Amino acid sequence: MLNSFESTVTLNNGVKMPMLGLGVMSIPDGRQMAEILSFAAEVGYRSFDTATIYGNEKGVGEGIRQCGIPRDELFITTKLWNNMQGYENALKAFDNSMKSLGLDYLDLYLLHWPLPMRPRYIETWRAFEKLYTEGRIHAIGVSNFNGMQIDEIVEKCEIKPMVNQVEFHPLLSQPELQKYHQQNEVQMEAWSPLGQGEVLKNPVVRQLAEKYGKTTAQIIIRWDLQKGIVTIPKSGNPERIKSNADVFNFELSNEDVMLIDSLNIGKRLGPHPDEFFAGCIL
Ligand code: A2P
């Protein structure tokens, strides 16, 4: 349990997802992306989180083929971008992503943003259900959704999302949403777990780093894991990729987990999901 890269969580459909993965947002496509993925795979990462909007699905695909790890030992996530919501669009977007990645199945497909000002997530989700039922995706989920939006999917569609990937770090730990996920068997996944680097300067986190002889990033990543939250710290730097994974040989005390919990001030570093509409055709 939580002592190696093999630590997984079982999603509500029985699929096992690694607890720690690598976020690859803003890593340039092509050789650079492929080399970083191969390096991370050598370190032990098996889960890689990209998105159509990151523009590096091709490089992720190259990395998958180069890294020498059997496909069925990898867990690959990508996300449907906002301009492709709607049933037919989503089917097309998925095919495009699969072509870029060069894969014949995907582990997790996420609906990137809810776009409540132009809601089409129900019809989009129906396309996700079709692809899932056909076996082309092993798990489907959403990103940046609130509980009410997930409830609406559950009410109007057939399949409950398996994952909700949201901004989550010590300054924004969203306790209400955590509770919702636990009660409804939706796995919470953290984007920007390191708060885009900002959280690493926090004095409390620094003190804990000193206490445990770890880096501030390792303290935060370990906190995610102990809270049962899948985490995908982004790094394009080999040293940090390696160091961020050195989190399986120590344990935070319950008091220290609660101490980090107490840092929550509801501070978003990324966009608010109610207001974000980039790429959306209104
Ligand atoms: P880099 O890619 O140069 O390593 P988040 O996932 O919370 O958004 O954080 C990602 C940001 O934090 C990136 O800018 C990344 O930069 C940086 N980062 C990742 N790991 C570390 C680390 N161990 N120490 C300092 N900064 C880090």
Side-chain angles (χ1 to χ4, degrees):
M1 253 292 278
L2 292 183
N3 57 6
S4 78
F5 257 120
E6 282 152 40
S7 305
T8 55
V9 66
T10 303
L11 304 178
N12 68 28
N13 66 340
V15 164
K16 289 192 187 322
M17 177 175 192
M19 287 296 293
L20 176 63
L22 183 72
V24 302
M25 180 172 162
S26 71
I27 296 177
D29 200 14
R31 185 135 55 98
Q32 200 173 336
M33 182 61 249
E35 279 173 4
I36 286 171
L37 190 147
S38 288
F39 174 81
E42 214 170 286
V43 169
Y45 287 83
R46 293 293 178 266
S47 171
F48 298 94
D49 178 278
T50 186
T52 303
I53 193 63
Y54 303 169
N56 56 16
E57 287 172 326
K58 275 206 174 110
V60 167
E62 277 166 42
I64 292 169
R65 287 182 291 283
Q66 276 170 27
C67 74
I69 307 293
R71 170 68 186 98
D72 62 0
E73 290 176 25
L74 296 172
F75 190 99
I76 309 298
T77 301
T78 192
K79 314 184 192 82
L80 174 106
W81 185 236
N82 296 344
N83 63 342
M84 293 301 271
Q85 285 218 27
Y87 187 83
E88 293 298 335
N89 278 349
L91 296 178
K92 251 186 260 161
F94 179 74
D95 281 342
N96 290 340
S97 283
M98 295 304 276
K99 213 161 140 204
S100 298
L101 288 161
L103 296 179
D104 55 8
Y105 74 87
L106 185 68
D107 297 279
L108 176 64
Y109 199 34
L110 298 178
L111 204 169
H112 209 150
W113 291 88
L115 310 176
M117 65 296 293
R118 174 81 169 87
R120 272 175 298 179
Y121 50 79
I122 296 297
E123 19 165 348
T124 307
W125 188 254
R126 292 200 174 112
F128 275 45
E129 290 181 324
K130 173 179 158 66
L131 295 163
Y132 173 75
T133 308
E134 288 172 354
R136 301 186 67 198
I137 318 174
H138 289 179
I140 49 178
V142 292
S143 183
N144 303 300
F145 275 51
N146 62 37
M148 267 159 37
Q149 291 159 340
I150 296 176
D151 283 345
E152 190 189 342
I153 289 181
V154 170
E155 203 179 294
K156 296 185 178 163
C157 302
E158 303 291 324
I159 300 170
K160 177 159 64 171
M162 286 122 212
V163 172
N164 186 19
Q165 185 188 107
V166 296
E167 182 176 347
F168 177 91
H169 45 72
L171 305 181
L172 182 78
S173 51
Q174 312 211 51
E176 289 303 313
L177 193 55
Q178 278 184 55
K179 210 193 290 164
Y180 173 89
H181 289 139
Q182 276 161 7
Q183 286 172 348
N184 292 279
E185 293 185 302
V186 176
Q187 177 60 41
M188 189 161 185
E189 182 177 16
W191 65 256
S192 260
L194 306 176
Q196 299 172 15
E198 181 171 333
V199 181
L200 303 175
K201 298 180 223 135
N202 183 283
V204 173
V205 180
R206 277 188 165 170
Q207 265 173 18
L208 290 173
E210 215 164 285
K211 173 173 168 185
Y212 287 90
K214 295 303 246 178
T215 68
T216 48
Q218 288 161 351
I219 295 291
I220 295 168
I221 294 164
R222 183 72 204 183
W223 172 69
D224 294 341
L225 299 177
Q226 287 185 218
K227 292 187 73 64
I229 291 166
V230 169
T231 188
I232 44 163
K234 180 263 156 179
S235 182
N237 172 292
E239 256 171 51
R240 291 193 280 276
I241 288 174
K242 196 166 174 198
S243 147
N244 289 349
D246 185 15
V247 290
F248 296 111
N249 52 4
F250 77 110
E251 187 154 344
L252 297 168
S253 69
N254 287 343
E255 291 74 32
D256 289 335
V257 167
M258 287 192 294
L259 182 60
I260 304 177
D261 287 348
S262 74
L263 300 177
N264 178 39
I265 48 168
K267 182 173 178 183
R268 273 181 202 281
L269 302 170
H272 196 296
D274 287 351
E275 290 153 15
F276 187 72
F277 59 92
C280 168
I281 300 138
L282 290 169

